[in-house]
């Protein structure tokens, strides 16, 4: 059932997820990029379903052409195959995919809009996060707190090797590179708990380099952060 | 090719007795008897098969590792491997499949096929073929031994730093990769040089570039890409090894390095690598499909254009492997567009092939099954490739099982299926035996089902969040059924490969004798005895004989240059564009030198691995001595009379002409070398512009004295360039003494340059472990120093030749080669000096 849920297109799933009491949602959806829980991941999921449909049609086209090839010999025009199909047809399809990609890419880019800024600091093998609390930054280990329904920029750094920050249900991934600060935009639709993982191979502890993202209701932020972290920042 | 125009100037030779010709030729061209004969063999048929056979063994080993990986992933807790071992296994699986299976396999195919389809007798540099093989074998063995000793590389096949640095990967695991793979890469460079020269200069007379079989075009594209693609990786590996061994911080951010430099260098190689692997496979398809459809290819010109486009485009896409490293978004858009665009030339080829099938009457014989397997698999892999080129989607799918699925669709679809088609198609040519009915088709279906069962759902596994390179997933039971399915079908696929291997073995051992040209193919590899004789063609195909039909004519010596009357290995060298006959090349015979040289290089590698850095010097001295011997083996001691190639066509032997095979080879090698140097310059530029730890602290040294020293070095090297010209002019006017004096003067001035560089490196460099700038200066000095050493050797060799009287008005000897390298050395030294000065502070 869960599996089925993961591969369904996203509006159907959003509906299905809504039927689950929110408090109990837990890490529902696991690490699936096909179960988006925010607009960035949702845009990318849509892009995927569209590309999958196109790719399926193209594969079918090739299969049909191959099957038909087993008929009797035919007079063919070289140019129709190499230029017509090879060049113009493929160029047309590729251009439209590219435009869709650039359009989505533009939508999910971080921009100057007063997004909440949190920091994710990777090390072998774990994550330290810093969130802006009511009075000063709050540090947490292995759990990232963010508000729902607000754009959040994650500033990703590392203290040793390369890692990658990835919460598939919220957005794509970005690498943590020594000497650099990388910025990733994400946004969560509803409060709940999501999972994240390191996606770049980083040695023995790579498989276990997981973390959680707790999404708090927008109106409770940043008080919920203080409560959740035990008011560690008083 | 059948459409080759009749060129009336070359008349056929009179027919002779085929058997007598065969005996005469075989005596000259055959390998020696017994094991020693195998060790000293330089013949392309022998070595091509040996390359491919060895590659198949590595494929089996890589496959066993894949099965261990799949067994581990079948359940969330992983059955039996600990993480360290698992990491070694996937790293070795990827590295073996790419560097020890795919590349050597295509090299072997090129080496085996090219002389046969071009109508010549061997590759341009037979000893180089053998050297390449031994380097491949020894490098591969080093990796295998490390695997069995439990110290195999474990940082993934792209070895990202800083994970692969001395800090995070202590021990020799990473060194095994860097040194072993670089050792193997020597064979790639050797093969690339040879393939290029053979295609450009050894086509049968009158076989214009625009008429040569498509396979040769594909191989030319491949070799060009190898010449330019491998040097960045070789440079990167050298830098990383130097960082690990001597702590020079090229990739350490704290000291002006940058781990992204490694990624750029790796993928500057790594992306073209994909096309290096695909192009030969596509060449096979372009050869087989028309034959099995009883027609000619659709769109020859469009396909050639597509190859050329791929060669250029594929060097502009490497950043698509780095979309998640945090790249400015304009650059993302650019590389995304370029990556999407590269699908166009691929589509042109795919549709040309399908069009060919429409035009002809496809026969569903065994190779055709594999061709169909290719279409289905590769098209899907190409489509997921386009998806991955779309940046937002890439951010989700990157580094997940989706990518693992994609890359296997491309590699197995685009390389393994075509290679299986090739194997089933050419087995009769190789063994002279016909296939056994039934088994091959069964193997095909099992492989096809096993493959798609394994990898199709892995797309889904990846989208459901499974990262690649993990050994357990206890928190994600939802991935279990997917992984279990993949694992089960993985074993099905393995059974299929085993059946396929069995089929080949049975065919080789028990097949009936085949018809001489079972597929009724037009290409020249069928215009010879089966199995292939050592000399391939008893006489070389003239324009009207460039077709499989010409078998008897050629065997009777009616083509050019029949037999081996002079008792040496001769072939015809033609000019690059029109294939007009230019001269006759005498090739070296069987030799143990390639084995010796590879062993000496191996000694150097082992000393590096053991950390016995001082002992690398004697190993290098041995290498230099053997290279000298190698050169001596090519020296001509006397004038040779022109050779009658065909009635009324007398051609000089290579010692009397300037544009020899060696000359073209040297140019190719310098292209590769120049790319290595350019990669180094890219590194200097990249670090000084992009890396965080710049500008570097002001240099501690750097006075007027050092500037003078640098200037003096340049003067000495430029003087060497004058000396070689002087020597050549003297040689031409018959002043042998003066030529010797010129060589001597060049030797002395190069030696002075070498000493000056050594002195500068010893006293005027800042501590290279302090900052990347100083480390890079050290490398520049080392590069120029190495070249000063090489040209010193060239000058000494020329001096020795002059002393022996081997340089004469009609014979330039080693002077043209020396001149080429001397100019190159002077030019790179100038650039290196300019960089040091531009960075501020002399030395
Ligand atoms: C024989 C059937 C094969 C199977 C079952 C197989 C299976 C696998 C699996 C499961 C992985 C992923 C390990 C991981 O990241 O978790 C992998 C990685 C890889 N495979 Fe294969 N493979 C096969 C053949 C090939 C071939 C023919 C090639 C290349 C010509 C190839 C190239 C690679 C590469 C480059 C990697 C990436 C290694 C890395 O991440 O460092 N594989 N393979
Ligand atoms: Cu990791
Ligand atoms: Cu690529």
């Amino acid at each position: 059932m869960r599996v089925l849920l993961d591969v369904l297109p996203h509006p159907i799933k959003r509906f299905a997820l809504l039927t689950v009491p929110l408090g109990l949602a837990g890490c529902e959806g696991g690490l699936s990029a096909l179960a988006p829980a925010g607009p960035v991941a949702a845009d990318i999921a849509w892009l995927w379903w569209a590309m999958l449909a196109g790719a399926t049609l193209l594969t079918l086209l090739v299969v049909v052409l191959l099957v038909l090839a087993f008929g009797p010999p035919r007079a063919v025009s070289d140019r129709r195959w190499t230029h017509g199909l090879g060049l113009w047809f493929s160029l047309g399809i590729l251009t439209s995919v590219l435009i869709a990609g650039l359009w989505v890419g533009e939508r999910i880019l971080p921009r100057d809009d007063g997004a909440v800024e949190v920091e994710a600091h990777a090390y072998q093998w774990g994550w330290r996060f810093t969130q802006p609390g009511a009075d000063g930054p709050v540090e947490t280990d292995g759990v990232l707190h963010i508000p729902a329904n607000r754009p959040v920029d994650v500033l990703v750094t590392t203290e040793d090797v390369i890692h990658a920050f990835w919460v598939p249900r919220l957005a794509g991934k970005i690498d943590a590179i020594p000497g650099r600060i990388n910025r990733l935009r994400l946004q969560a639709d509803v409060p709940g708990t999501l999972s994240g993982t390191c996606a770049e191979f980083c040695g023995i502890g790579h498989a276990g380099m997981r973390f959680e993202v707790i999404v708090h209701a927008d109106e409770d932020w940043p008080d919920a952060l203080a409560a959740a972290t035990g008011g560690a920042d008083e | 090719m059948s459409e080759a125009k009749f060129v009336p100037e070359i008349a056929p030779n009179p027919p002779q007795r085929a058997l007598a010709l065969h005996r005469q030729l075989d005596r000259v061209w055959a390998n020696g008897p017994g094991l020693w004969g195998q060790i000293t063999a330089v013949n392309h048929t022998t070595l091509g098969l040996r390359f491919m056979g060895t590659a198949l063994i590595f494929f089996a080993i890589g496959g066993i590792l894949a099965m261990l990986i799949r067994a581990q992933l079948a359940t969330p807790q992983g059955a039996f491997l600990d993480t360290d071992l698992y990491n070694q296994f996937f790293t070795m699986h990827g590295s073996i499949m790419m560097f020890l299976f795919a590349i050597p396999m295509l090299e072997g195919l090129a080496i085996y096929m090219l002389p046969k389809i071009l109508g010549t007798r061997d590759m341009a540099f037979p000893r180089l073929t053998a050297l390449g093989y031994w380097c491949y074998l020894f490098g591969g063995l080093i990796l295998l031994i490390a695997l069995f000793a439990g110290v195999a590389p474990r940082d993934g096949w792209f070895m990202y730093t800083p994970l692969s640095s001395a800090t995070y990967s202590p021990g020799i695991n990473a060194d095994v990769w860097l040194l072993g793979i670089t050792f193997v890469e020597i064979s790639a460079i050797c093969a690339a040089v040879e393939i290029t020269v053979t295609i450009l200069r050894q086509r049968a007379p009158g076989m214009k570039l625009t008429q040569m079989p498509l396979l040769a075009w594909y191989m030319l594209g491949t070799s060009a890409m190898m010449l330019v693609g491998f040097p960045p990786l070789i440079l990167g590996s050298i830098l990383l090894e130097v960082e690990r061994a001597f702590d020079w911080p090229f990739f350490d951010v704290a000291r002006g390095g940058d781990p992204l430099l490694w990624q750029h260098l790796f993928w500057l190689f790594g992306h073209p690598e994909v096309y290096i692997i695909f192009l030969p496979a596509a060449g096979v398809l372009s050869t087989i499909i028309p034959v099995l459809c009883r027609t000619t290819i659709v769109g020859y010109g469009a396909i050639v254009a597509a190859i050329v486009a791929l060669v250029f485009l594929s060097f502009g896409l490497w950043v698509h492997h780095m979309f998640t490293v945090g790249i400015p978004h304009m650059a993302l858009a650019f590389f995304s567009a370029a990556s999407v665009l590269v699908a166009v030339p691929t589509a042109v080829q795919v549709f040309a092939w399908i069009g060919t099938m429409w035009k002809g009457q496809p026969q569903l014989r065994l190779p055709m099954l594999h061709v169909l397997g290719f279409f289905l698999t590769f098209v899907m892999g190409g489509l997921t490739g386009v998806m991955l080129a779309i940046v937002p989607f890439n951010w989700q799918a990157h580094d997940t099982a989706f990518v693992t699925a994609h890359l296997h669709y491309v590699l197995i679809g685009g390389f393994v299926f075509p290679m299986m088609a090739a194997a089933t198609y050419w087995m009769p040519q190789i063994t002279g035996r016909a296939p056994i009915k039934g088994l091959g088709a069964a193997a095909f279906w099992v492989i096809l089902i096993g493959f798609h069962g394994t990898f199709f759902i892995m797309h889904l596994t990846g989208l459901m969040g499974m990262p690649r390179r993990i050994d357990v997933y206890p928190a994600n039971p939802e991935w279990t059924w997917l992984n279990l399915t993949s694992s089960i079908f993985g074993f099905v696929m393995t059974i299929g490969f085993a059946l396929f291997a069995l089929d080949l073995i049975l065919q080789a051992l028990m097949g009936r004798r085949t018809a001489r040209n079972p597929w009724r193919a037009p290409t020249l590899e069928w215009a010879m005895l089966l199995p292939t004789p050592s000399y391939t063609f008893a006489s070389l195909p003239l324009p009207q004989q460039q077709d499989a039909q010409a078998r008897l004519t050629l065997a009777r010596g009616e083509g050019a240059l029949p037999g081996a009357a002079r008792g040496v290995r001769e072939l015809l060298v033609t000019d690059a564009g029109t294939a007009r006959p230019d001269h006759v090349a005498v090739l070296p015979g069987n030799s143990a030198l390639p084995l010796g040289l590879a062993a000496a290089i191996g000694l150097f590698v082992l000393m590096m691995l053991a950390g016995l850095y001082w002992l690398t010097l004697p190993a290098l001295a041995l290498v230099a001595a053997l290279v000298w011997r190698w050169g001596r083996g090519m020296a001509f001691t006397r004038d040779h009379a022109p050779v009658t190639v065909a009635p009324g066509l007398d051609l000089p032997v290579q010692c009397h002409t300037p544009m020899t095979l060696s000359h073209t080879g040297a140019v190719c090698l310098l292209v590769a070398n120049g790319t290595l140097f350019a990669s180094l310059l890219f590194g200097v530029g990249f670090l000084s512009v992009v890396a965080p730890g710049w500008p570097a602290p002001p240099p501690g040294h750097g006075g007027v004295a050092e500037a003078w020293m640098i200037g003096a070095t340049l003067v000495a090297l430029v003087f060497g360039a004058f000396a070689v010209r002087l020597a050549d002019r003297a040689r031409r006017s018959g002043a042998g003494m003066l030529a010797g004096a010129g060589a001597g003067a060049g030797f002395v001035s190069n030696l002075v340059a070498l000493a000056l560089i050594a002195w500068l490196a010893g006293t005027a460099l800042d501590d290279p472990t302090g900052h990347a700038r100083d480390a890079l200066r050290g490398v520049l000095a080392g590069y120029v120093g190495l070249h000063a050493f090489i040209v010193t050797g060239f000058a000494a060799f020329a001096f020795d030749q002059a002393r022996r009287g081997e340089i004469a008005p009609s014979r330039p000897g080693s002077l043209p080669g020396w001149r080429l390298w001397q100019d190159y050395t002077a030019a790179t030294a100038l650039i290196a000096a300019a960089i040091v000065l531009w960075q501020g502070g002399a030395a």
Side-chain angles (χ1 to χ4, degrees):
Chain A
M1 168 61 193
R2 180 119 157 251
V3 165
L4 208 75
L5 208 63
D6 280 347
V7 296
L8 286 177
H10 129 87
I12 309 174
K13 175 134 50 252
R14 172 117 34 114
F15 176 76
L17 274 182
L18 282 178
T19 61
V20 181
L22 281 181
L24 300 180
C27 282
E28 187 61 43
L31 287 165
S32 178
L34 303 179
V40 177
D43 276 351
I44 301 179
W46 267 118
L47 190 60
W48 151 251
W49 291 113
M51 291 195 300
L52 176 64
T56 311
L57 289 178
L58 288 173
T59 309
L60 285 177
L61 171 74
V62 169
V63 170
V64 168
L65 288 177
L66 282 172
V67 170
L68 292 179
F70 281 83
R74 274 163 273 219
V76 303
S77 140
D78 282 21
R79 286 186 73 85
R80 188 165 298 160
W81 286 94
T82 55
H83 291 56
L85 280 169
L87 188 61
W88 297 116
F89 174 70
S90 69
L91 209 52
I93 290 190
L94 293 169
T95 313
S96 37
V97 182
L98 186 65
I99 290 173
L102 292 177
W103 182 67
V104 171
E106 211 51 45
R107 279 167 59 105
I108 66 177
L109 228 52
R111 53 192 85 241
D112 274 336
D113 51 4
V116 178
E117 275 190 7
V118 299
E119 288 163 25
H121 189 66
Y123 57 91
Q124 274 181 328
W125 287 273
W127 295 90
R128 247 190 323 277
F129 298 101
T130 311
Q131 298 84 320
D135 21 44
V138 182
E139 265 211 20
T140 50
D141 246 327
V143 184
L144 169 66
H145 297 270
I146 57 168
N149 267 321
R150 269 215 260 166
V152 176
D153 278 356
V154 189
L155 303 180
V156 183
T157 53
T158 172
E159 68 181 45
D160 39 50
V161 304
I162 300 176
H163 306 268
F165 174 95
W166 190 30
V167 186
R169 297 193 60 202
L170 293 183
K173 56 183 77 67
I174 192 105
D175 291 353
I177 310 245
R180 282 193 165 68
I181 304 173
N182 278 335
R183 182 182 290 264
L184 178 72
R185 166 65 54 101
L186 45 80
Q187 181 169 336
D189 286 334
V190 288
T193 308
L194 304 166
S195 354
T197 183
C198 171
E200 179 65 61
F201 180 63
C202 54
I204 290 272
H206 172 56
M209 203 169 142
R210 300 293 183 87
F211 58 93
E212 266 185 5
V213 182
I214 300 183
V215 186
H216 301 278
D218 190 16
E219 54 278 15
D220 302 342
W221 184 264
D223 302 336
L225 170 65
T229 53
D233 59 323
E234 80 262 29
Chain B
M1 303 229 66
S2 45
E3 68 261 49
K5 303 258 174 339
F6 179 75
V7 177
E9 301 96 77
I10 312 178
N13 280 301
Q16 309 178 34
R17 277 190 49 236
L19 190 61
L21 270 183
H22 168 78
R23 292 218 177 102
Q24 183 188 56
L25 277 156
D26 199 48
R27 207 172 313 124
V28 172
W29 286 85
N31 301 331
L35 182 63
W36 186 246
Q38 288 302 306
I39 288 175
T40 55
V42 295
N43 180 286
H44 76 281
T45 299
T46 310
L47 284 160
L49 289 176
R50 203 182 286 172
F51 260 105
M52 292 192 275
T54 312
L56 283 181
I57 293 173
F58 278 111
F59 179 71
I61 297 170
I64 292 170
L65 290 174
M67 289 306 99
L68 292 172
I69 296 171
R70 283 275 29 127
Q72 168 82 4
L73 291 178
T75 56
Q77 284 297 353
F80 57 103
L81 298 177
D82 72 19
T83 307
D84 182 54
L85 214 50
Y86 182 84
N87 295 350
Q88 294 191 20
F89 283 1
F90 74 69
T91 303
M92 283 298 284
H93 165 73
S95 307
I96 286 180
M97 286 300 192
M98 301 303 267
F99 296 108
L100 303 179
F101 160 64
I103 296 284
M105 185 77 187
L106 69 90
E107 289 165 8
L109 181 74
I111 289 168
Y112 181 87
M113 291 304 303
L114 280 175
K116 300 185 179 73
I117 60 171
L118 296 175
T120 185
R121 291 194 172 120
D122 205 339
M123 297 295 284
F125 311 110
R127 293 180 302 172
L128 208 58
T129 322
L131 175 70
Y133 177 75
W134 296 117
C135 288
Y136 160 47
L137 183 69
F138 294 161
L141 283 179
I142 290 177
L143 280 146
L144 274 194
I145 290 170
L147 179 63
F148 287 114
V151 291
R154 55 186 165 191
D155 302 324
W157 86 279
F158 34 80
M159 295 289 289
Y160 277 1
T161 70
L163 183 62
S164 56
S165 67
T167 318
Y168 300 105
S169 287
I172 71 165
N173 308 53
D175 304 308
V176 167
W177 193 96
L178 295 167
L179 292 164
I181 295 293
T182 305
F183 194 7
V184 173
E185 244 62 295
I186 294 176
S187 78
I189 297 290
C190 291
V193 169
E194 278 206 290
I195 294 172
T196 315
V197 176
T198 305
I199 297 175
L200 290 181
R201 304 296 310 279
Q202 284 175 233
R203 299 193 311 281
M207 186 190 280
K208 295 203 190 98
L209 268 184
T210 48
Q211 293 169 339
M212 66 180 178
L214 276 173
L215 182 58
W217 268 110
Y218 278 102
M219 289 298 183
L220 188 60
T222 305
S223 63
M225 291 177 74
M226 287 168 79
L227 286 178
V228 183
F230 276 95
L233 175 66
I234 295 176
L235 176 78
S237 301
I238 293 173
L239 296 186
L240 185 49
E241 183 55 32
V242 170
E243 175 175 297
R244 289 179 53 86
F246 308 116
D247 196 29
W248 293 22
F250 305 104
F251 307 109
D252 176 7
V253 260
R255 291 177 287 163
D258 192 340
L260 287 188
L261 174 60
W262 168 264
Q263 298 195 14
H264 282 292
L265 290 175
F266 186 90
W267 291 116
L268 260 171
F269 146 80
H271 191 81
E273 154 94 340
V274 180
Y275 292 91
I276 289 172
I277 291 176
F278 172 63
L279 284 186
V284 165
L285 295 166
S286 294
T287 311
I288 294 183
I289 291 176
V291 173
L292 289 186
C293 298
R294 314 243 59 85
T295 181
T296 51
I297 190 90
V298 160
Y300 179 100
I303 291 183
V304 172
I307 298 170
V308 175
L310 272 180
V311 169
F312 282 96
L313 279 176
S314 66
F315 283 97
L317 320 173
W318 78 98
V319 173
H320 71 204
H321 298 268
M322 302 168 60
F323 278 157
T324 63
V325 302
I327 296 224
H329 85 277
M330 276 316 288
L332 288 180
F334 173 83
F335 283 103
S336 177
S339 309
V340 165
L341 206 63
V342 81
V344 173
T346 313
V348 168
Q349 296 169 71
V350 167
F351 285 115
W353 294 325
I354 301 180
T356 308
M357 294 174 64
W358 276 52
K359 178 174 152 196
Q361 174 84 66
Q363 300 166 301
L364 210 50
R365 300 170 73 176
L366 189 50
M368 186 54 99
L369 285 182
H370 290 289
V371 170
L372 294 176
F374 151 81
F375 273 117
L376 181 66
T377 312
F378 182 75
V379 165
M380 291 166 72
L383 290 168
T384 53
V386 171
M387 297 178 186
L388 285 169
I390 303 299
V391 176
F393 179 71
N394 181 287
W395 285 356
Q396 282 288 22
H398 178 68
D399 267 336
T400 68
F402 187 95
V403 169
T404 313
H406 156 73
L407 73 92
H408 286 87
Y409 264 80
V410 180
L411 288 171
I412 295 188
F415 187 72
V416 176
F417 274 112
M419 284 303 123
M420 292 193 291
T424 47
Y425 177 81
W426 275 303
M427 267 307 267
Q429 207 281 336
I430 294 171
T431 61
R433 290 168 190 272
I436 289 160
K437 287 219 161 43
L439 190 52
F444 165 76
W445 286 109
V446 178
I447 293 172
L448 188 77
I449 293 167
F451 172 80
H452 287 271
T454 308
F455 288 105
F456 189 70
I457 51 168
M458 260 167 91
H459 296 107
L460 181 58
T461 320
L463 290 173
M464 284 174 61
M466 181 165 167
R468 68 195 277 195
R469 300 175 169 178
I470 64 173
D471 58 331
V472 289
Y473 44 98
N476 300 82
E478 73 272 23
W479 301 335
T480 311
W481 71 276
L482 295 161
N483 277 300
L484 187 61
T485 315
S486 286
S487 296
I488 291 170
F489 278 100
F491 283 91
V492 172
M493 171 169 40
T494 308
I495 294 172
F497 282 124
L499 285 178
F500 185 83
L502 184 68
D503 185 37
L504 293 193
I505 293 171
L506 288 182
Q507 177 174 357
L509 296 181
M510 305 176 13
R512 287 175 294 102
R513 288 211 74 78
T514 172
R516 284 199 195 274
N517 185 353
W519 314 106
R520 289 192 279 145
T523 35
L524 277 170
E525 78 274 21
W526 300 101
M528 57 183 70
L529 295 173
L530 298 184
T532 308
S534 53
Y535 53 86
T536 61
F537 300 99
S539 61
L540 303 176
L542 292 172
Q544 65 276 25
Q545 300 163 339
Q546 286 163 20
D547 188 285
Q549 311 266 325
R551 181 164 40 83
L552 281 178
T553 329
L554 294 176
R556 285 196 301 255
E558 293 178 54
L561 203 58
R566 283 156 295 275
V568 286
R569 301 186 179 189
E570 290 171 336
L571 49 76
L572 198 58
V573 180
T574 51
D575 81 347
T578 57
R580 207 172 20 78
D582 187 73
H583 65 269
V584 170
V586 177
L587 300 186
N590 300 330
S591 162
L593 207 50
L595 176 67
L597 184 51
I601 302 173
L603 197 63
F604 169 79
V605 169
L606 288 179
M607 292 305 131
M608 281 298 291
L609 265 180
L612 303 171
Y613 300 123
W614 285 111
L615 285 183
T616 56
L617 293 180
L620 282 181
L622 188 59
V623 170
L626 289 172
V627 169
W628 183 284
R629 280 280 311 267
W630 191 288
R632 289 295 319 151
M634 309 221 303
F636 281 81
T637 50
R638 58 175 178 83
D639 280 352
H640 286 255
V643 172
T644 305
V645 166
L649 182 61
D650 291 353
L651 293 179
V653 174
Q654 85 245 46
C655 58
H656 298 296
T657 57
M659 287 307 290
T660 57
L661 294 177
S662 304
H663 190 86
T664 314
V667 172
C668 293
L669 189 58
L670 282 181
V671 167
N673 192 349
T675 313
L676 186 97
F677 188 67
S679 309
L680 181 57
L681 299 186
F682 169 80
V684 174
F686 181 82
L687 287 188
S688 34
V689 175
V690 176
W694 288 65
H701 297 269
V704 184
E706 280 92 352
W708 277 107
M709 287 297 173
I710 293 182
T713 313
L714 295 178
V715 169
L717 289 173
V718 172
F719 180 79
F722 280 111
V724 63
R725 283 168 173 78
L726 182 78
D728 201 41
R729 180 160 309 165
R731 189 263 312 168
R732 229 172 292 162
S733 56
M737 285 286 283
L738 196 55
F747 173 74
V748 172
S749 74
N750 282 337
L751 206 59
V752 168
L754 191 58
L756 283 170
I757 295 165
W759 184 83
L760 277 167
T763 64
L765 273 183
D766 284 302
D767 174 16
T769 64
H771 191 277
R773 179 203 51 204
D774 302 313
L776 284 169
R777 285 183 177 186
V779 176
L780 283 171
Y783 184 87
V784 176
L786 176 67
H787 283 76
F789 178 74
I790 292 173
V791 288
T792 309
F794 261 113
F797 193 88
F799 181 75
D800 182 51
Q801 278 201 305
R803 193 179 58 79
R804 294 168 187 261
E806 290 170 2
I807 290 181
S810 58
R811 278 180 286 131
S814 60
L815 289 177
W818 172 22
R819 177 171 154 177
L820 214 53
W821 281 83
Q822 185 79 37
D823 292 356
Y824 178 84
T825 304
T828 47
L830 269 167
I831 296 173
I835 286 176
V836 172
L837 295 175
W838 163 68
Q839 285 180 336

